[in-house]
Amino acid sequence: MPLKNPSIKLVYALIAIITQLIVSAIPASATGATPPLTKCHIQIHDAHISKYILRTQGKEAVKVNADSKSDKFIQDLRLTVEIYKIGRFTHYFITRHTIEISGFIPANSLTENQSTYEYCTNKKASRYYGIAYAEAYIKGHHFKTPRTISEHIFPINCGT
Amino acid sequence: MVKQSKGSLDPRDLDQELAYFEFMAELGVKNASRYELQSQELVKNRKIELEIKNTFVRYTLDRVGCSFQVSKDGGKTFREKTWVRTGWRKSGRLSYLPLFFAQCETNVLLKK
């Protein structure tokens, strides 16, 4: 429907011009993802059968490892890994383990959580994944990472 | 020979991991009778508190799992370190808990 009122036309034209100016003023790099404030990250690996548990204890266990690294000095780190199993109707929470490092951790050092696992009770093929998250103090500020999920989920011959 | 896949640990880390599980297996054998008694006590009372090498620890049972908590202030406050699904059956819990005790004590002793 054509606009008959000239003042409304003027308002629409102004809005269009201002919008165009704002969009053109934004640099191309800023239109992508917001860059992180620190180069700190956590990484979670895929669920697997631990060959070391099998070798030392003669039992099979599903295991998920995670690690954390930061380019800043961090303090009082808590790195948690949770293992979930994909069931028919829901995802079952299997286990959770937190490693806690009190005091300062030097910049660029790798902190690993390799103690999160669950023993298999049978050989039934099941799909597992891990979720990792961490919290720590950086320059006196408390930071929490978002939850990170394992990249690949595939069946493992391990029922729990 | 250990195959290195993308994102896997380097051989030094693998040695540490192997040492960790060997230590845990050793604890499991050495303290088998104590872990069995602890399991029975935990299933009966649903909560036990212990001291492992000057570290106060607490185990609590909930509906389907067991929580392991550690205190850093001499037993005043506890923070959860590990939670595992044990199932609700008493027999299942009694068979699972000794392994869990070995795992938790290894984590405390090796500061994992």
Side-chain angles (χ1 to χ4, degrees):
Chain A
M1 194 177 104
L3 295 167
K4 288 180 181 174
N5 191 338
S7 62
I8 293 174
K9 270 186 184 175
L10 185 66
V11 169
Y12 274 107
L14 276 172
I15 288 170
I17 290 164
I18 290 166
T19 310
Q20 190 62 40
L21 282 171
I22 289 169
V23 169
S24 62
I26 297 170
S29 61
T31 54
T34 313
L37 293 173
T38 61
K39 284 180 183 168
C40 298
H41 72 273
I42 55 170
Q43 186 183 6
I44 186 153
H45 302 274
D46 299 332
H48 62 280
I49 298 280
S50 169
K51 50 180 156 306
Y52 294 100
I53 298 175
L54 183 63
R55 194 192 290 179
T56 55
Q57 299 180 24
K59 292 188 180 80
E60 287 195 326
V62 60
K63 189 165 183 277
V64 180
N65 296 328
D67 50 67
S68 138
K69 197 175 180 181
S70 178
D71 67 335
K72 302 268 188 297
F73 272 95
I74 54 176
Q75 196 183 355
D76 298 338
L77 172 72
R78 276 174 69 84
L79 175 61
T80 303
V81 176
E82 296 178 347
I83 299 179
Y84 288 84
K85 181 167 90 169
I86 300 176
R88 188 167 293 176
F89 302 110
T90 184
H91 293 198
Y92 297 98
F93 175 43
I94 302 294
T95 185
R96 172 174 57 227
H97 180 71
T98 304
I99 58 150
E100 193 169 349
I101 298 172
S102 305
F104 281 99
I105 300 167
N108 297 315
S109 64
L110 193 71
T111 307
E112 292 162 333
N113 182 335
Q114 297 176 32
S115 313
T116 312
Y117 53 86
E118 177 64 27
Y119 294 103
C120 308
T121 51
N122 55 51
K123 290 266 188 186
K124 194 177 168 190
S126 311
R127 288 182 300 153
Y128 296 90
Y129 64 91
I131 288 181
Y133 49 94
E135 55 181 297
Y137 286 90
I138 302 173
K139 291 181 178 174
H141 297 283
H142 187 238
F143 284 92
K144 278 184 179 179
T145 66
R147 291 173 161 241
T148 310
I149 189 167
S150 301
E151 194 179 357
H152 306 107
I153 301 170
F154 41 80
I156 296 171
N157 291 331
C158 171
T160 52
Chain B
M1 190 178 148
V2 176
K3 277 187 184 173
Q4 290 276 319
S5 59
K6 190 190 165 194
S8 68
L9 305 163
D10 69 31
R12 201 174 43 191
D13 290 331
L14 294 176
D15 287 345
Q16 278 180 12
E17 203 178 356
L18 183 60
Y20 167 86
F21 288 116
E22 277 175 348
F23 184 69
M24 191 164 80
E26 198 184 308
L27 275 186
V29 173
K30 203 167 79 179
N31 301 324
S33 57
R34 176 164 70 85
Y35 293 155
E36 225 168 89
L37 288 174
Q38 269 179 214
S39 306
Q40 286 165 1
E41 195 186 335
L42 182 59
V43 168
K44 191 179 167 192
N45 301 329
R46 304 188 74 81
K47 184 169 111 173
I48 52 169
E49 286 186 14
L50 303 166
E51 193 185 340
I52 307 166
K53 294 253 176 189
N54 301 324
T55 306
F56 288 89
V57 301
R58 182 160 72 190
Y59 297 94
T60 52
L61 279 182
D62 57 37
R63 199 172 54 83
V64 289
C66 182
S67 168
F68 171 63
Q69 295 145 37
V70 178
S71 172
K72 292 198 165 177
D73 52 9
K76 286 176 197 162
T77 56
F78 287 86
R79 282 186 96 164
E80 189 187 83
K81 192 167 175 67
T82 312
W83 185 92
V84 284
R85 181 177 289 273
T86 57
W88 55 269
R89 282 197 183 94
K90 189 180 167 183
S91 59
R93 287 180 164 190
L94 285 173
S95 66
Y96 186 89
L97 285 172
L99 283 173
F100 185 55
F101 290 137
Q103 178 192 346
C104 294
E105 285 194 13
T106 306
N107 289 334
V108 169
L109 295 171
L110 300 183
K111 299 198 183 304
K112 285 273 184 178

